[in-house]
Amino acid sequence: AKSAGGNRFELADPEADARAITRHGLTTALPAALDRGEFFIEYQPLVHLGDGSVRGAEALVRWLHPQHGVLGPDRFIPLAEHTGLIVPLGRWVLEQSVRQAREWRERHDGAGPLRINVNLSPCQLNHPGLVQDTVDILERAGVAPDALCLEVTESALIGADDDLLKPLRRLAEMGVDIALDDFGTGYSNLANLRRLPVSVLKLDRSFTQSMQQFPADPVDLKIVEGIVSLAHSLSLAVTVEGVETGAQAEQLRILGCDTAQGWYYARPGPPERLHELALVDATG
Ligand code: C2E
Ligand code: CA
Ligand code: CA
Ligand code: CA
């Protein structure tokens, strides 16, 4: 942040110093936090735009820090990526989420299987254990690979060479869905999509925001329409995130998007909350 007066050459920036100290403190506290069980996961429902049913949830990690309270992932995921702790942390998130999916399925019976979406950092993609860890976690929980969707950001895959794509291909062959997260922010070549082992496009929130007005800006409508039709022609499903209003949901449904996620439906919450939402949904 700029200090008062906006002098770029000012040496002392107490705000920046405080941030750096916190960053340093958080970074050094990360490994012990994992051991002490300070991380927890909230789940946000994924809703079918056609019929409004809950189809699954995205796992979003949080840190209950003993001094700072609940910290969002934007505060600590970059630090964990920097130190490499993201590999064990990511594995922990995957294991918890897959077990949770198993529990939903057991308690659900008849409501249709709930799928689980888990975010994957680029560092995890580079880690040689990814495929085997994922296979082990699914087997231990007794969850079929097609109940899992791994979300990888578009920027992580831009310019990715074949070595980086190999583990994703392997997982996709097993039946795990791969979603391209934050799609539309990375300036990737649309033709490039054919090369990637993805089956879902997650349209970035900025597109959803442009649907705030009803009717939305005609150019924005055309862009989303174009992305959706391209995705569908490549047999990719389209999920939209950041849906906050009914008007957005309605326009995105009309544009042919398949699944939606956002505060309009539910904020991320504890696993019991998802169970309730899905159950209400199944019993009408
Ligand atoms: P993301 O994958 O794009 O996740 C969606 C973010 O949008 C989440 O923020 C979610 O809480 C928020 N969101 C959901 N609905 C709405 C809405 O209607 N309006 C608005 N304004 N926001 C909404 P969150 O939980 O703070 O997560 C931020 C990012 O942290 C995620 O972005 C993801 O990139 C990363 N992240 C979260 N959990 C994990 C994890 O387990 N592993 C890794 N590697 N990254 C994670
Ligand atoms: Ca995501
Ligand atoms: Ca996203
Ligand atoms: Ca994002």
Side-chain angles (χ1 to χ4, degrees):
K2 277 182 202 146
S3 50
N7 184 349
R8 297 171 52 211
F9 302 105
E10 202 177 281
L11 287 175
D13 182 347
E15 251 181 67
D17 285 348
R19 270 200 313 276
I21 291 163
T22 317
R23 210 158 44 228
H24 178 74
L26 292 180
T27 305
T28 50
L30 270 168
L34 187 57
D35 290 338
R36 287 198 208 105
E38 290 172 6
F39 295 101
F40 65 101
I41 301 172
E42 289 192 316
Y43 299 88
Q44 187 177 36
L46 287 151
V47 176
H48 189 256
L49 271 167
D51 63 13
S53 64
V54 175
R55 296 297 174 93
E58 178 175 6
L60 297 159
V61 68
R62 282 90 178 81
W63 179 2
L64 180 55
H65 190 283
Q67 278 94 49
H68 303 294
V70 175
L71 301 177
D74 292 334
R75 292 287 301 281
F76 62 85
I77 290 288
L79 309 178
E81 285 176 333
H82 193 69
T83 59
L85 194 84
I86 189 68
V87 171
L89 176 59
R91 202 188 293 128
W92 179 83
V93 171
L94 184 63
E95 175 122 51
Q96 294 297 307
S97 308
V98 164
R99 278 204 213 145
Q100 189 56 61
R102 165 79 198 195
E103 197 190 309
W104 284 327
R105 208 179 63 190
E106 278 170 358
R107 293 173 60 184
H108 243 256
D109 232 17
L114 290 177
R115 312 183 72 253
I116 184 76
N117 284 37
V118 179
N119 292 287
L120 210 60
S121 134
C123 313
Q124 291 174 272
L125 273 184
N126 282 313
H127 185 76
L130 175 68
V131 175
Q132 194 56 51
D133 285 348
T134 307
V135 170
D136 291 346
I137 285 170
L138 288 167
E139 273 179 5
R140 272 204 296 275
V143 168
D146 62 6
L148 174 66
C149 178
L150 294 173
E151 301 192 359
V152 186
T153 60
E154 184 188 16
S155 54
L157 291 188
I158 284 179
D161 60 19
D162 262 9
D163 283 346
L164 198 74
L165 295 178
K166 224 176 260 167
L168 284 185
R169 280 219 180 87
R170 188 72 204 89
L171 289 164
E173 281 160 14
M174 285 165 39
V176 174
D177 272 325
I178 310 293
L180 207 49
D181 205 353
D182 300 346
F183 183 79
T185 58
Y187 309 99
S188 70
N189 182 348
L190 288 176
N192 203 14
L193 280 176
R194 295 178 57 183
R195 208 170 68 82
L196 303 176
V198 298
S199 46
V200 180
L201 281 193
K202 279 193 94 167
L203 213 54
D204 190 69
R205 184 157 72 229
S206 52
F207 293 102
T208 309
Q209 272 163 355
S210 71
M211 302 289 132
Q212 201 76 260
Q213 318 299 334
F214 195 97
D217 180 273
V219 175
D220 289 334
L221 286 172
K222 278 267 175 279
I223 291 171
V224 175
E225 206 174 18
I227 292 175
V228 172
S229 89
L230 176 89
H232 286 168
S233 73
L234 295 170
S235 303
L236 306 178
V238 179
T239 299
V240 288
E241 46 181 27
V243 175
E244 295 178 358
T245 68
Q248 289 173 330
E250 182 56 9
Q251 297 203 85
L252 290 160
R253 187 188 65 79
I254 291 167
L255 287 167
C257 299
D258 302 290
T259 313
Q261 182 181 354
W263 297 344
Y264 173 62
Y265 303 100
R267 302 231 172 193
E272 307 80 58
R273 178 89 185 103
L274 191 92
H275 179 70
E276 285 159 20
L277 287 167
L279 212 63
V280 164
D281 190 68
T283 54

